[in-house]
Amino acid sequence: GGLRMVGGVPLQADQQQKVETELRQLFLKGRVSDVIISWESVLSRFECDWSPSMLSTLGLAYVLVEEDKGLEFLKKSVEVSRRFQEGFHGNQDDVVGGGSRSADSEEYQRAELETLEYQLALSNGYRDLHRNGDAGELYNDIIDAARRLDSPGVLCRALMDYGSFLETNVEDYDTALLYYKEVLRVAEKLPTDTRQQKLVARALLKSGNVIAHQKCSAKDRQAVKQWSLAMQVAKRVKYNKVIRE
C-alpha cells in the first residue's frame, strides 16, 4: 500500500494512473501552480494509495512554493518506495542480512534502484532549499549505493546532480569538475542513445563552465575545448538547451 489520502470515493486503478500521468505532464511543462490546484481538487474528492513516483512529483512541485510540505512528500515517496522494496524480501522482519530473503534477487535490486531515484529527488529538494548538509550527505549515500549496485544510469544522474550542487551551492569548482569528469567516464558504459548523448553534452558543458572559473589563459583554452565538444554532441541530438547555454 502507498500513502492513504482521505478524501471521498476510492479512485479506480486506471483513473489513478490517468490522474498521475496528467499531473506529471503538467509538472514537466513547468506548470507548478496547476499541479497543486489539480492535486488539491483530486484530494478533496478521492482517496487513494498514491505511487512513490506521484509523491515525488508532488514534492518537487510543492518544494518551490511550500518548502516543508514539499519535503514531506519527497520523504514520503522514499518511505513508500522502500516499503515496496522490502516487500520483495521473503521475511519482512529480517531486513538486514541473512534470513530467507535474497537481497540480490533481481526484483529487489530493481526496487532498490527505484528507491535511489526518489532519494535523488529528495536530495535535489534539499539542494534547492540550500540545506547543504542534508543534501551532501544524501548525495554521497546515493552515489555509494549506485556504485555497489553497478548501475551506470543512476550513478551518472547522481554524479551530475552532486557536481551541480558542489558548483552552485558550495562553489567548490575543483571537486565539481572531478564529478563531471566521472560522469563522462561512467557514461561510456551506457548504450549510446539520445539520453546518453544528452547526458554527455551536459557534462561537457558543465565541466567547461567550472574550468572557466579557474581564471588563467591555459584553462580558458581547455574550457573552450569542452564547450565545443558539448556543442558537437548537443547538435547531434538537437539538445537545444545545451546549445543555447
Side-chain angles (χ1 to χ4, degrees):
L3 177 66
R4 183 155 290 286
M5 292 298 187
V6 182
V9 274
L11 200 57
Q12 300 304 311
D14 58 337
Q15 289 176 293
Q16 175 181 345
Q17 215 164 5
K18 192 164 171 264
V19 168
E20 295 200 1
T21 306
E22 279 170 17
L23 289 189
R24 202 163 299 117
Q25 289 305 323
L26 287 172
F27 179 72
L28 291 173
K29 288 176 184 159
R31 290 165 57 185
V32 171
S33 54
D34 289 341
V35 171
I36 290 167
I37 292 163
S38 304
W39 164 250
E40 304 283 356
S41 121
V42 168
L43 195 55
S44 62
R45 289 178 296 138
F46 301 108
E47 59 178 45
C48 179
D49 288 338
W50 297 105
S51 70
S53 160
M54 174 69 179
L55 294 167
S56 188
T57 300
L58 287 167
L60 292 170
Y62 268 101
V63 101
L64 301 167
V65 288
E66 214 176 315
E67 297 180 0
D68 292 343
K69 201 167 184 178
L71 285 178
E72 202 181 306
F73 276 124
L74 289 169
K75 285 175 184 169
K76 188 59 88 173
S77 74
V78 172
E79 203 181 292
V80 173
S81 179
R82 197 166 272 139
R83 272 212 302 277
F84 287 155
Q85 181 189 322
E86 296 308 337
F88 289 111
H89 287 323
N91 176 354
Q92 293 237 13
D93 300 327
D94 183 15
V95 177
V96 259
S100 58
R101 62 111 178 108
S102 152
D104 47 29
S105 79
E106 243 177 82
E107 291 103 323
Y108 183 81
Q109 289 205 339
R110 236 196 330 272
E112 200 175 353
L113 284 171
E114 206 162 289
T115 301
L116 288 183
E117 298 275 11
Y118 300 123
Q119 285 184 300
L120 194 53
L122 173 59
S123 48
N124 289 343
Y126 283 139
R127 174 194 67 196
D128 296 345
L129 300 176
H130 289 270
R131 286 178 51 174
N132 290 355
D134 290 328
E137 198 177 323
L138 193 48
Y139 281 127
N140 280 303
D141 289 349
I142 296 163
I143 287 166
D144 289 346
R147 285 193 213 284
R148 174 174 55 79
L149 292 165
D150 194 21
S151 169
V154 176
L155 181 56
C156 272
R157 286 192 290 286
L159 292 166
M160 194 73 187
D161 289 350
Y162 188 44
S164 187
F165 162 76
L166 290 168
E167 180 187 347
T168 51
N169 285 36
V170 189
E171 294 183 7
D172 180 350
Y173 302 114
D174 294 350
T175 314
L177 182 58
L178 296 176
Y179 281 95
Y180 293 145
K181 283 183 169 170
E182 193 177 347
V183 171
L184 293 168
R185 274 199 306 279
V186 177
E188 288 175 11
K189 296 180 185 173
L190 292 169
T192 319
D193 54 13
T194 304
R195 195 174 179 182
Q196 185 258 14
Q197 290 284 281
K198 284 185 167 185
L199 191 69
V200 168
R202 175 145 291 294
L204 286 164
L205 170 73
K206 301 280 264 175
S207 56
N209 293 351
V210 292
I211 290 169
H213 273 282
Q214 305 163 324
K215 305 269 187 285
C216 76
S217 56
K219 294 290 184 192
D220 283 348
R221 280 195 298 280
Q222 254 178 299
V224 169
K225 187 180 164 202
Q226 297 296 92
W227 288 328
S228 63
L229 285 170
M231 181 73 93
Q232 279 171 31
V233 179
K235 278 183 171 165
R236 253 203 315 271
V237 288
K238 300 184 173 56
Y239 192 5
N240 294 330
K241 193 171 188 290
V242 164
I243 295 170
R244 276 198 305 275
E245 285 183 44

